[in-house]
Amino acid sequence: MPATPASTEPRRARGRPRRLAPEAVLDAALTLFEDEPAEEFTLGRLARRLGVPVTSLYTCFPNRDALLDAAADRVFARFDWKPTPRAPWTEVLLSWMHAVQRHFRRYPIAQQLLSWDRRISPAWLRVLAPIITLLHGQGLRGATLVQTFSWLNSGTIGLIMSHAYNTRHAVRPALGATELAAGGEGLGAQLEFWSHVKALDHDQSLDAGFRVLVAGVAAALPASKH
């Protein structure tokens, strides 16, 4: 009986799975965040996307938080803002708010990496730190400092997200003129409002919103700072 010829195909070497590069893992994670929020992120999902056992990821990052922190570090390391020396604190704050808006427009994924599991990412905290220092320098202390900073931060992010949505989607009333007229009282206000919606300059509106927040901070300062 003739001998069976040996296969000419190379055998796959046995041994440990290929070692992943941390940068490649981060690239895949950031791509994954485009489809789902960081809150829902798991190492298992990332491993499936990479086609590797989940244990392979631990050679790069010891746990989920470490990977998310590294992703946030990469994104916020690109934050570009330098306050103008000796500028009024109001202009410094306003310039920071616009810098955050530009960063989120350039890197939409940054919004996913502000916080997760009620934990603010260290990278985002570093972006916030100069503003906490700025408010402290204006005399805000203790609970008043925390409260003022909290709504300033929330208001800034809210305005930026609203601006991003409104620039992508045309706003129109849910009701037509006939339905609005059926409302009776307040018709004039409704018609005036909707007649100007399309003419709204969203960038100008965002700046106006930022200035309202800055004015609110000014109102919270100690009497000696007014």
Side-chain angles (χ1 to χ4, degrees), residues 79 81 91-101 124 127-128 130-131 149 152-153 156:
F79 181 63
W81 175 71
E91 292 305 313
V92 172
L93 179 54
L94 192 63
S95 72
W96 177 86
M97 297 162 92
H98 279 289
V100 172
Q101 188 269 335
W124 176 235
V127 174
L128 298 176
I131 303 309
F149 173 78
L152 171 66
N153 180 39
T156 299

Side-chain angles (χ1 to χ4, degrees), residues 173-184 187 190-191:
L175 301 175
T178 303
E179 290 83 357
L180 288 173
L187 173 61
Q190 291 291 322
L191 292 176

Side-chain angles (χ1 to χ4, degrees), residues 91-168:
E91 292 305 313
V92 172
L93 179 54
L94 192 63
S95 72
W96 177 86
M97 297 162 92
H98 279 289
V100 172
Q101 188 269 335
R102 289 193 301 271
H103 189 77
F104 283 8
R105 182 176 58 194
R106 187 175 182 185
Y107 306 105
I109 200 66
Q111 296 180 39
Q112 299 277 37
L113 297 167
L114 302 178
S115 64
W116 55 86
D117 302 335
R118 299 183 63 82
R119 174 180 179 270
I120 301 176
S121 71
W124 176 235
L125 283 174
R126 288 192 289 272
V127 174
L128 298 176
I131 303 309
I132 296 174
T133 301
L134 177 68
L135 300 184
H136 187 273
Q138 296 309 305
L140 292 176
R141 298 289 186 274
T144 304
L145 172 62
V146 174
Q147 176 179 287
T148 304
F149 173 78
S150 178
W151 62 253
L152 171 66
N153 180 39
S154 299
T156 299
I157 299 304
L159 285 170
I160 290 171
M161 294 179 69
S162 177
H163 174 269
Y165 180 85
N166 289 333
T167 52
R168 291 194 305 268

Side-chain angles (χ1 to χ4, degrees), residues 49-112:
R49 173 159 295 204
L50 287 166
V52 299
V54 69
T55 51
S56 298
L57 300 180
Y58 293 115
T59 63
C60 301
F61 301 97
N63 51 51
R64 171 177 177 267
D65 280 345
L67 193 155
L68 287 169
D69 283 344
D73 283 342
R74 180 195 280 189
V75 171
F76 286 111
R78 302 165 183 169
F79 181 63
D80 183 19
W81 175 71
K82 290 183 180 179
T84 303
R86 295 183 293 279
W89 73 266
T90 52
E91 292 305 313
V92 172
L93 179 54
L94 192 63
S95 72
W96 177 86
M97 297 162 92
H98 279 289
V100 172
Q101 188 269 335
R102 289 193 301 271
H103 189 77
F104 283 8
R105 182 176 58 194
R106 187 175 182 185
Y107 306 105
I109 200 66
Q111 296 180 39
Q112 299 277 37

Side-chain angles (χ1 to χ4, degrees), residues 201-225:
D201 184 320
H202 293 296
D203 290 337
Q204 186 180 59
S205 179
L206 178 68
D207 181 70
F210 285 164
R211 290 180 184 277
V212 168
L213 289 177
V214 173
V217 173
L221 299 183
S224 61
K225 292 287 185 177

